[in-house]
Amino acid sequence: MIEKYAVLTPEEAAEQVHDGMTVAMSCFTAAGAVKVIPAAIAKRADAFHEDGKPFKINLITGASSGDSLDGSLAAADAIKFRCPYQSDAGERKKINNGEIDFFDLHLSHVPQYLEYGFLGDIDIAVVEATAVTPEGHVYLTTSQGASSTFLRKAKKVLIEVNRYHNPRLREMHDVYEPPPPPRRRALQIFHPLDKIGTPFCLIDPKKVIGVVETNLEDEAGTWKPFDDASANIGRHVVDFLVREQIAGRVPYGLLPLQAGVGNVANAVMATLGQDARIPPFYFYTEVAMDSMIDLIAEGKCLGASTCSLTVTKEKLRYVYDNFDTFADKIVIRPQVITNNPEAIRRLGVISMNTALEADIYGNVNSTNVCGSKMMNGIGGSGDFTRNAYISMFMTPSIAKGGAISAIVPFVSHVDHNEHSVQVLVTDQGLADLRGKTPRQRAELVIENCAHPDYRPLLREYLAGASKGHIPHDLRHAFDFHLRLMESGSMMPAKETAGV
């Protein structure tokens, strides 16, 4: 299906990209990420730099990507501006050093920002597909992200046609973009598996510069074995959901679940599947992880709406080998739909995301270590948290062998404020913050979520805080963080002396 288009080498495709261009590339995690063209662009940048010539691009993606995309371009010093999310260690270092301008953005806003012109023009879109037809039908691979918007808004298009991926993925895809305001129609999504679009992106074939043929796996990582902290968090979440069912606040059969990406979320999903008290349920989420695939195969999950198949290589091969089992149980959508506030609120999604840290009043930091050092970005956590039926944040209570407490007097950076966060969960326990005053929240979080080693320090802070609606002592609100920066531990020296 590529006869109409010029077949290029990766190097020939890279020659179409020039210094200062804005380039949008497909991915949502490493799933569906373009692979050989960005690596070739990185080599082109290296050659320019060796000759003393400038070469940097403005890079926009759906979310994070694989090593051959973010990793190679960051290593080649080929990125001037990056948006909206990343997870590459080398790129993160350059962002925090000020060598890459990074714009953190809610993932549901990426297509809208491009549609409204807030991020300028896209010079070239580079997208991975299983096929592109003469009439301009582009069939995507293991993710959608913002690819449909990239293809439509870009001046020119390069396509990696990846023969590794199962062409039947088109049976899962549902491509739909809301029109711009003010006369948008309501999304006709009333069930997690409702489809409202087409299985392909439609583009003007004249924009296609050419295609590059590949046969490569997604650069998927592996999930760590469940540790005790993750297992405990999973048990607390399950017990909470069971109590909500008994109380009649959540219907039997649950509501659709959303889980952020990561080892903790993967462990929680697996724990849900193992508990006989939890009936079969649906997902309406951003990423489908290994545990979700297992739950579908076991019949515990009835279906999943997602933006990407963020699974290990072995699990993706399992899906391809058993496609009949999964074809009608997984819907892959663009992020403007998976993360859409209207759909999330209408379906009553229960959101479960991970936090870097939370404070005793329920504010959550998802992005910046000690308030300044960017980790990955806000991702889609804000899209779901603000609009969820119940919003949860999960984190182990301590890190670095106890040197860091995830529960602090005041978060060093606020991504999700106390008005949006309803439930906090650590390996120590769960704090239901709904309907609680700030002081009540603080007492619950300290007693239920903080690690025992840090509870006395947090109680001391609360006792010494000034009177008011939200008790704070601004002279000591960041003592935990200051100690960490000065000594490598949030514990005072006298507490660490005997450890």
Side-chain angles (χ1 to χ4, degrees), residues 23 46 103 117 173 224 378 386 416 447 453 457 472 487:
V23 183
D46 282 333
F103 178 46
H173 279 278
K224 296 178 182 177
I378 194 170
R386 186 67 186 91
H416 316 280
E447 296 307 315
D453 291 349
L457 293 170
H472 262 308
S487 69

Side-chain angles (χ1 to χ4, degrees), residues 128-343:
E128 183 181 78
T130 62
V132 53
T133 68
E135 60 268 33
H137 294 180
V138 180
Y139 294 92
L140 302 174
T141 60
T142 47
S143 73
Q144 283 205 38
S147 293
S148 54
T149 304
F150 296 162
L151 290 167
R152 185 169 49 79
K153 298 292 291 184
K155 298 173 185 176
K156 298 293 182 181
V157 171
L158 290 165
I159 298 176
E160 289 188 12
V161 176
N162 192 341
R163 306 297 185 188
Y164 176 82
H165 292 295
N166 193 326
R168 289 188 64 189
L169 282 170
R170 66 185 61 181
E171 298 174 36
M172 295 180 175
H173 279 278
D174 185 48
V175 181
Y176 178 81
E177 294 181 90
R183 300 187 181 276
R184 282 181 168 171
R185 294 182 179 273
L187 295 177
Q188 299 300 299
I189 297 176
F190 307 104
H191 184 280
L193 300 185
D194 280 346
K195 289 186 177 182
I196 59 175
T198 63
F200 55 80
C201 305
L202 181 61
I203 62 169
D204 180 355
K206 295 178 182 177
K207 295 202 301 185
V208 180
I209 302 172
V211 302
V212 176
E213 296 187 81
T214 68
N215 194 324
L216 296 168
E217 296 176 302
D218 282 341
E219 296 171 330
T222 57
W223 301 112
K224 296 178 182 177
F226 303 158
D227 57 16
D228 290 341
S230 297
N232 285 338
I233 290 171
R235 284 192 287 270
H236 296 316
V237 170
V238 169
D239 289 343
F240 170 76
L241 292 175
V242 170
R243 290 196 299 271
E244 290 297 290
Q245 289 183 116
I246 294 172
R249 290 186 289 265
V250 169
Y252 182 79
L254 296 182
L255 291 163
L257 303 179
Q258 176 261 342
V261 66
N263 286 292
V264 171
N266 199 43
V268 170
M269 294 305 101
T271 306
L272 280 167
Q274 295 164 3
D275 198 295
R277 297 173 297 169
I278 299 294
F281 53 87
Y282 289 93
F283 284 104
Y284 191 88
T285 189
E286 295 174 295
V287 291
M289 297 175 287
D290 279 25
S291 57
M292 298 183 191
I293 301 301
D294 293 336
L295 293 172
I296 292 173
E298 296 162 4
K300 194 64 180 269
C301 174
L302 301 174
S305 169
T306 185
C307 192
S308 73
L309 297 177
T310 305
V311 297
T312 58
K313 296 176 182 180
E314 295 77 16
K315 199 64 66 176
L316 183 60
R317 175 48 55 194
Y318 174 75
V319 171
Y320 288 170
D321 290 344
N322 298 274
F323 211 90
D324 287 342
T325 299
F326 298 98
D328 63 349
K329 295 182 178 64
I330 295 177
V331 179
I332 305 175
R333 308 182 192 274
Q335 64 199 71
V336 73
I337 301 298
T338 59
N339 294 43
N340 189 281
E342 178 190 345

Side-chain angles (χ1 to χ4, degrees), residues 89 96 234 273 408 430 447 465-467:
N96 288 319
V408 295
L430 180 146
E447 296 307 315
S466 61
K467 293 181 179 180

Side-chain angles (χ1 to χ4, degrees), residues 77-91:
D77 198 24
I79 304 173
K80 180 180 186 299
F81 170 88
R82 182 72 173 89
C83 172
Y85 189 87
Q86 52 73 44
S87 60
D88 179 78
E91 187 171 44

